[in-house]
Amino acid sequence: MQGAHLTHHGRGGDRAASMIGASFPTVLAAAQDGDTQAFAVLWRDLQPGLLRYLRVAASEAAEDLAADTWVSVIRGLGRFQGDEQRFRAWVFTAARHRAVDWRRHVARQPTYALPSQALVDRAAPDDPAAEALEAQSTRAALA
C-alpha cells in the first residue's frame, strides 16, 4: 500500500499520539479489502498504546489479550464503518472486553495457597527410597 504513513501530532498538548490522519479512510478501505500492508499500518499505529492499556488493565495477560483483540478486529474489520477516532475507540473497546473477560475468568479460578513450609520435609506417599530400605530390612530379618 503506497502513500500511507503515520503522522505525529499532540492531543491537547499533553502527549504525542500516533495517528494515521487524512489517509485513514484509504488505509482502512485497503485493509478491509485484505491488503496486509494497510492492516500493518493500522496495527503499528495502535499496538503500542493497546499494549500499554492492557498492561494496566490485565498485566499478566497483556500480550495474549492484545493478540486476541487483533483477532477480533480482523474478524469484524469488514463490517466496521467510521473515522479514525471511532476505529481507535472500537479497537480499545474490544481490548477492554477481553480484559474484563480475563479478570472474570481469573476470579473464578480457585487459588491454592499452601505455605512453603508445609511442603518441606514431607515424604511422598509412595517413597521409593523408604520402600527399598524396608524391603532390604525385611530380607535381612528373614535371612
Side-chain angles (χ1 to χ4, degrees):
M1 157 132 194
Q2 295 181 347
H5 59 356
L6 300 180
T7 58
H8 297 278
H9 58 81
R11 277 194 184 156
D14 58 346
R15 62 185 166 105
S18 179
M19 299 285 290
I20 296 170
S23 63
F24 177 79
T26 304
V27 172
L28 177 64
Q32 288 173 323
D33 286 339
D35 184 327
T36 57
Q37 287 181 314
F39 185 80
V41 170
L42 297 173
W43 184 86
R44 280 190 306 267
D45 181 55
L46 288 172
Q47 180 67 2
L50 188 65
L51 271 177
R52 280 192 303 273
Y53 169 74
L54 289 169
R55 284 187 181 124
V56 171
S59 60
E60 301 87 20
E63 291 189 20
D64 290 340
L65 294 174
D68 289 347
T69 299
W70 285 108
V71 168
S72 72
V73 167
I74 290 167
R75 288 182 179 148
L77 191 60
R79 294 183 307 273
F80 177 80
Q81 294 180 2
D83 61 10
E84 185 172 7
Q85 186 174 3
R86 286 182 188 235
F87 181 75
R88 295 169 79 79
W90 179 62
V91 172
F92 276 83
T93 299
R96 184 177 63 79
H97 287 274
R98 299 292 170 292
V100 167
D101 290 345
W102 178 81
R103 286 191 170 281
R104 286 181 185 149
H105 175 73
V106 168
R108 286 191 302 263
Q109 298 303 308
T111 55
Y112 301 104
L114 290 176
S116 59
Q117 293 166 341
L119 301 175
V120 177
D121 296 329
R122 293 197 68 175
D126 60 336
D127 187 359
E131 288 176 19
L133 290 174
E134 180 66 30
Q136 202 169 30
S137 297
T138 303
R139 271 183 286 212
L142 290 175

